[in-house]
Amino acid sequence: DAENKKKPDGTIKLLPTQYLMKKVDYPFLSFDSIVQFEDIRTLSKVRLKFNMGLVNPENLKKMERNLLRSFGL
């Protein structure tokens, strides 16, 4: 939850392996969320109930960069 990472001045400090998804950009989110690439887990397709939405290509590229950082590449 992005609210937990907010500083008193309202800014959010992220690690290089994290990415902020803002509700304003992704209306399918209930609130601003942080993708934590340092905490990746495996999930079976069977457990996924539905597709929540899509990430735009520009932001997906940024997420890929952060994912590579989390693997030290």
Side-chain angles (χ1 to χ4, degrees):
D1 180 346
E3 286 296 315
N4 294 334
K5 295 222 179 217
K6 275 193 179 175
K7 293 188 204 176
D9 66 358
T11 60
I12 297 174
K13 177 70 174 153
L14 298 174
L15 297 173
T17 56
Q18 297 176 337
Y19 185 81
L20 177 63
M21 293 184 71
K22 295 186 176 190
K23 180 177 175 11
V24 69
D25 297 326
Y26 297 100
F28 57 85
L29 294 175
S30 299
F31 43 82
D32 291 350
S33 298
I34 297 173
V35 179
Q36 296 179 290
F37 292 105
E38 71 276 9
D39 190 23
I40 295 176
R41 299 171 189 203
T42 303
L43 181 65
S44 167
K45 287 183 184 179
V46 175
R47 294 183 62 194
L48 295 174
K49 304 280 189 228
F50 56 90
N51 181 345
M52 289 182 64
L54 299 173
V55 175
N56 70 46
E58 180 183 328
N59 289 342
L60 186 58
K61 199 78 161 157
K62 293 174 185 176
M63 289 181 184
E64 287 173 352
R65 185 183 64 231
N66 292 8
L67 176 62
L68 291 173
R69 277 190 195 130
S70 73
F71 290 129
L73 302 174

